Amino acid sequence: MANRIAELIELIRHHDQLYHAHDDPQIPDTKYDQLKSELLELEAAHPGLVQLDSPTQTVGADPSTLFEPVEHQIPMMSLDNAFNRDELSAWADRARRRLAALRARKAAEEASGQRSLLSVEEEEGGGEDDGRTNPEASSAELGNLVCELKFDGLAVSLRYENGVLLQAATRGNGRVGEDITANILALEYEGKRSVPHRLSAGAPEILEVRGEVYMPLAAFDALNAQQEAEGKPRYANPRNTAAGSLRQKDPAITANRGLSMWCYSVGEIQGGPGLATHSTMLEYLESLGLPVNPENTTVDSLDAAWKFIEQCEAKRHDLPYEIDGAVIKIDRLDLQRQLGSTSRAPRWAIAYKLPPEEQTTRLRDIQVSVGSKGKATPFAVLEPVFVGGSTVAMATLHNEDQVRAKDVRPGDTVVVRKAGDVIPEVLGPVLSDRPAGLVEWKFPSVCPCPHQEPLVRENGDAAHYCRFERCPEQLRGWIEHFAARNAMDIEHLGEQRVRLFIKLGLIADVADLYRLDYDRIRELEGFGELSVANLAAAVEASKQQTLARLLVGLNIRHLGDTTSELLADAFGHLDRVMEASVEELAEVDGIGPIMAESVYEFFRSEANLEIVGKLRSAGLNFAQDTGGDEAAETLPQTLQGMTIVVTGGLEGYSRDGVGAAIKARGGKSPGSVSSKTTALVVGENPGASKLEKAETLEVPILDEAQFQRLVETGELP
Ligand code: IVH
């Protein structure tokens, strides 16, 4: 046991040093928190083995020798963590018990005129986490709670004397930090000073204000854009970049990194108004011109604090800076004083940690996928890991240069980051975990398809390409692109199915999707009657997509969603786009000469014209306005004069697709039920109000199969 404790202490110290002193953490916060929790548990079970300088009893890391040391007159503390609601409640219970015990002791002392010989811990009812309920516990109330965001940056202390900023220091080990005054004085964001050099009127004689220096996401993105433009590797995350930027020897470098600060507490204070609560203290700091976060909220119960935490989680990615949790603080300063601190953290505050967005996992392999335009993109095959709210098993590595810059090798332990809906990213390897003899990854020289044509990287291009026109990998990429949500939106056509259809020779180009041999497909393993019907319906519905979506699906080089929309609006019909000269195409606002040339050339290729011809004979809509175009009118007008409302999701249609399919057959599809409604079609998760209204007005209610029959026959069941 003592061995494991010693090992954990050494490991945690090593990572503390990397994080705090070198700004170069090599494991994500979760892994670090796990080590810390394990040590805490072992120490709780074996109190005799707790060392005074254990990382559970201390804060941060010793300062480096890069900057002059600064001794904090009032130590800069850390915070204890809660990871769930129970742990949050346990913190509040502990605080209540302690206040009750203190009060009981005071009463007893007053009664007997003697000091109690028991420690508060003993009177409280045992250890901090024993979970026992003390009958006194509920009698002590915590009063209001201040809820704050937990900013993911680095703690600093600013010392103002008579309103003038004289010294700024990092936290260091909590007692001694580093003098970073010159760097703090240089901070600017969006043309304004990030911290005032001089406070507004009313400043006390001495004020040490504490807070977090962080890098706003916009500043981080701008810095990375600049790195990319200069061909330099991207920075991994805003927190480490903020720390690295702040601890520069040259303040000029720090100055233009956009670092900002949120103030959340005070150290030494002499003079100024006597304040009774933390919330009024924050208001006071703000009145002095210091940056105080507008999200701070004062609540009157733990339930309300929990709501704040839930809101933090929900809006985590809408904030213009990163947070890693919330901090809940007891508002009354007298209660804060009574509760005091352990050697590393105050008892009157708790940090609630949000689920991690970075994790480590093993990089099983690096493979290459070939896209619709022949671009070969390397991607990481990962041991599946739960991070940022979902399981991640793959992540793009973009191109050869990115793999090299990150120096990730199959067999490495890597840090994976996934923030909310953002695409997962491999940040880099954990070098300390790299097995000996792991070889650098080399970009494959041939395409992964059976033809194994060479992958070439042309001068000045970051990407490799397969130039073989009939490459089945490219075809798969094109078909997936054609069927994608932003293009023809064909559901039930996943990657595996596309691969299979290509392999069986059922599709050789995108137009073949409209002449699929469903009898053959029905015989394939994994295709039931329903799934074939769904696929057929989805393919059918896609015929009515707009011209803009068709243009996206055609996969014309340089043309994206927005520019396809511009062309579709300007020309109205595919035939007009095809007939247009380069000059006419380039006349459209937003279409540049390279794009115009590319569109023109696309429609001069025999192979592409053949595909367009096949799409035309399959009856696809070539017009931008699907309401009354020539192509749509060629469909049987089975729904002529009918008004069909749809609620909930239908298996065979996308949300937009179903409306388009109704209109294409002469019907109307408004968003609400009225007495004029012919039928209400009900899918998955329907809206209750539409259903109720249809029932009241005795409008026929159809399921998807009945709707399908109506579309085909024009007759209501
Ligand atoms: S209060 C004595 N409030 O989180 C209380 N800390 O994990 C000191 N942090 O060392 C801290 N946001 O660097 C406080 N709203 C907030 C915070 C915050 C971020 C940091 C701070 C602290 C660390 C503990």
Side-chain angles (χ1 to χ4, degrees):
M1 198 52 59
N3 277 353
R4 180 62 185 157
I5 291 182
E7 187 179 30
L8 284 168
I9 289 181
E10 199 181 312
L11 265 173
I12 293 169
R13 274 213 196 111
H14 169 69
H15 289 297
D16 270 345
Q17 205 62 27
L18 287 171
Y19 184 94
H20 293 288
H22 301 285
D23 305 323
D24 184 24
Q26 302 221 334
I27 53 171
D29 289 357
T30 32
K31 194 82 180 274
Y32 178 84
D33 287 338
Q34 276 162 16
L35 296 175
K36 208 89 180 254
S37 303
E38 188 186 341
L39 181 59
L40 272 169
E41 270 172 36
L42 288 179
E43 288 181 341
H46 307 275
L49 297 177
V50 180
Q51 297 175 18
L52 269 183
D53 62 348
S54 159
T56 59
Q57 315 293 309
T58 56
V59 168
D62 289 340
S64 73
T65 48
L66 212 59
F67 299 91
E68 289 301 311
V70 176
E71 201 164 322
H72 302 300
Q73 294 310 315
I74 297 182
M76 287 183 78
M77 302 231 130
S78 186
L79 290 169
D80 286 332
N81 294 326
F83 294 94
N84 52 49
R85 196 175 175 158
D86 285 348
E87 289 176 9
L88 181 73
S89 304
W91 161 76
D93 287 343
R94 274 198 307 274
R96 280 195 204 99
R97 274 206 303 274
R98 196 170 180 96
L99 288 173
L102 285 165
R103 202 184 295 162
R105 179 162 74 163
K106 204 161 163 228
E109 278 171 11
E110 273 168 12
S112 70
Q114 266 185 12
R115 286 191 66 86
S116 167
L117 296 174
L118 283 177
S119 74
V120 177
E121 277 77 10
E122 284 164 307
E123 284 181 46
E124 254 183 280
E128 297 231 328
D129 267 317
D130 69 348
R132 272 188 272 161
T133 40
N134 182 322
E136 301 254 24
S138 57
S139 67
E141 277 315 322
L142 303 181
N144 284 346
L145 300 168
V146 180
C147 307
E148 298 174 13
L149 300 177
K150 186 168 179 330
F151 314 105
D152 204 4
L154 65 160
V156 299
S157 182
L158 312 179
R159 189 177 171 88
Y160 289 90
E161 288 183 17
N162 297 313
V164 180
L165 178 57
L166 290 188
Q167 191 174 55
T170 64
R171 183 173 69 174
N173 61 14
R175 283 174 297 101
V176 183
E178 298 158 316
D179 189 330
I180 49 157
T181 314
N183 290 357
I184 289 288
L185 285 170
L187 298 191
E188 261 185 31
Y189 184 49
E190 294 183 330
K192 279 194 252 141
R193 273 190 185 146
S194 307
V195 294
H197 292 188
R198 186 178 281 277
L199 297 177
S200 315
E205 284 144 46
I206 293 178
L207 173 67
E208 250 177 42
V209 59
R210 280 151 187 199
E212 202 85 348
V213 168
Y214 67 96
M215 184 173 269
L217 288 171
F220 178 69
D221 291 341
L223 182 63
N224 266 339
Q226 190 187 326
Q227 288 287 109
E228 258 170 34
E230 291 171 12
K232 295 185 190 155
R234 289 171 59 85
Y235 287 97
N237 64 43
R239 191 262 154 209
N240 295 350
T241 316
S245 305
L246 193 59
R247 296 172 71 263
Q248 292 286 330
K249 249 328 210 183
D250 177 4
I253 299 180
T254 314
N256 59 25
R257 292 280 172 90
L259 298 184
S260 305
M261 183 171 175
W262 293 124
C263 300
Y264 48 64
S265 73
V266 293
E268 190 181 349
I269 178 160
Q270 279 179 35
L275 299 170
T277 60
H278 178 69
S279 49
T280 49
M281 195 269 296
L282 290 175
E283 279 164 22
Y284 175 56
L285 294 182
E286 192 169 14
S287 76
L288 295 177
L290 288 158
V292 175
N293 190 265
E295 308 284 340
N296 296 340
T297 312
T298 307
V299 299
D300 61 5
S301 69
L302 202 61
D303 280 344
W306 180 252
K307 283 215 178 76
F308 177 88
I309 289 171
E310 286 179 328
Q311 283 161 8
C312 284
E313 197 153 5
K315 67 176 175 199
R316 179 178 195 175
H317 298 114
D318 299 331
L319 295 166
Y321 41 81
E322 289 209 323
I323 59 167
D324 59 347
V327 184
I328 311 297
K329 300 174 178 173
I330 292 173
D331 195 23
R332 273 172 55 184
L333 298 180
D334 58 333
L335 296 185
Q336 286 193 7
R337 267 189 296 274
Q338 287 174 39
L339 283 166
S341 307
T342 65
S343 58
R344 65 180 294 278
R347 294 191 185 88
W348 44 263
I350 187 89
Y352 182 89
K353 287 278 205 102
L354 288 174
E357 301 198 314
E358 283 181 21
Q359 269 294 11
T360 52
T361 189
R362 224 175 67 85
L363 177 62
R364 284 183 178 158
D365 199 5
I366 299 177
Q367 294 178 4
V368 164
S369 88
V370 176
S372 56
K373 288 170 188 155
K375 188 166 161 189
T377 307
F379 65 97
V381 182
L382 303 161
E383 213 133 275
V385 61
F386 192 78
V387 56
S390 66
T391 301
V392 175
M394 271 190 281
T396 179
L397 290 167
H398 306 287
N399 56 44
E400 184 181 27
D401 294 345
Q402 286 285 322
V403 181
R404 197 166 294 153
K406 289 184 173 155
D407 185 24
V408 282
R409 306 175 184 189
D412 262 334
T413 298
V414 291
V415 181
V416 176
R417 178 182 173 83
K418 174 158 182 294
D421 295 335
V422 175
I423 299 164
E425 194 189 352
V426 173
L427 294 184
V430 180
L431 286 175
S432 52
D433 281 3
R434 174 170 283 172
L438 215 57
V439 283
E440 210 175 306
W441 181 78
K442 284 219 167 55
F443 209 96
S445 56
V446 293
C447 179
C449 84
H451 299 272
Q452 303 209 321
E453 291 290 324
L455 290 177
V456 287
R457 181 173 174 178
E458 279 152 17
N459 276 350
D461 205 331
H464 283 72
Y465 284 91
C466 168
R467 297 284 184 215
F468 181 48
E469 274 201 359
R470 280 169 295 118
C471 167
E473 281 294 307
Q474 281 188 49
L475 174 58
R476 179 188 55 78
W478 187 3
I479 293 181
E480 280 174 26
H481 176 88
F482 186 82
R485 211 164 255 212
N486 61 328
M488 301 301 272
D489 195 12
I490 308 179
E491 284 182 84
H492 311 286
L493 193 68
E495 185 183 333
Q496 294 312 324
R497 288 186 169 185
V498 173
R499 272 187 201 282
L500 183 68
F501 295 166
I502 294 175
K503 197 167 143 210
L504 296 175
L506 290 172
I507 27 182
D509 60 44
V510 287
D512 286 343
L513 283 174
Y514 297 99
R515 10 159 127 173
L516 281 172
D517 181 349
Y518 290 108
D519 289 335
R520 176 108 190 267
I521 295 174
R522 218 168 270 128
E523 283 162 16
L524 300 173
E525 207 181 310
F527 284 88
E529 201 54 53
L530 184 66
S531 69
V532 173
N534 285 339
L535 175 62
V539 168
E540 185 60 29
S542 75
K543 290 182 179 172
Q544 300 314 318
Q545 294 292 12
T546 58
L547 171 59
R549 282 166 167 272
L550 179 60
L551 284 171
V552 175
L554 287 178
N555 196 28
I556 303 170
R557 210 162 174 206
H558 304 300
L559 202 65
D561 294 7
T562 317
T563 41
S564 292
E565 198 77 48
L566 294 175
L567 280 187
D569 286 344
F571 291 95
H573 198 280
L574 187 65
D575 287 341
R576 309 288 104 69
V577 181
M578 289 168 67
E579 290 155 10
S581 64
V582 176
E583 293 70 29
E584 285 165 335
L585 289 162
E587 265 172 32
V588 177
D589 224 6
I591 305 291
I594 294 178
M595 215 180 285
E597 185 77 39
S598 167
V599 174
Y600 181 84
E601 283 307 323
F602 182 91
F603 293 112
R604 299 300 166 289
S605 139
E606 278 300 321
N608 292 340
L609 290 178
E610 197 185 313
I611 291 170
V612 173
K614 279 162 78 177
L615 293 173
R616 190 191 303 270
S617 28
L620 259 77
N621 165 51
F622 277 8
Q624 177 63 345
D625 174 10
T626 49
D629 65 276
E630 313 136 50
E633 274 163 21
T634 62
L635 280 170
Q637 298 294 290
T638 44
L639 307 180
Q640 188 70 50
M642 296 190 197
T643 302
I644 301 189
V645 179
V646 182
T647 176
L650 299 184
E651 289 235 335
Y653 296 91
S654 64
R655 284 201 184 265
D656 292 347
V658 66
I662 294 168
K663 282 186 210 146
R665 286 164 180 82
K668 285 193 205 141
S669 182
S672 58
V673 174
S674 73
S675 57
K676 295 202 189 90
T677 309
T678 318
L680 173 71
V681 182
V682 178
E684 277 286 289
N685 299 325
S689 63
K690 282 189 192 144
L691 257 175
E692 262 170 42
K693 197 146 182 210
E695 275 164 9
T696 319
L697 298 172
E698 296 184 354
V699 168
I701 296 173
L702 311 185
D703 62 18
E704 181 162 359
Q706 291 170 320
F707 169 62
Q708 202 52 44
R709 235 165 289 138
L710 172 66
V711 168
E712 280 157 23
T713 63
E715 281 168 30
L716 280 166

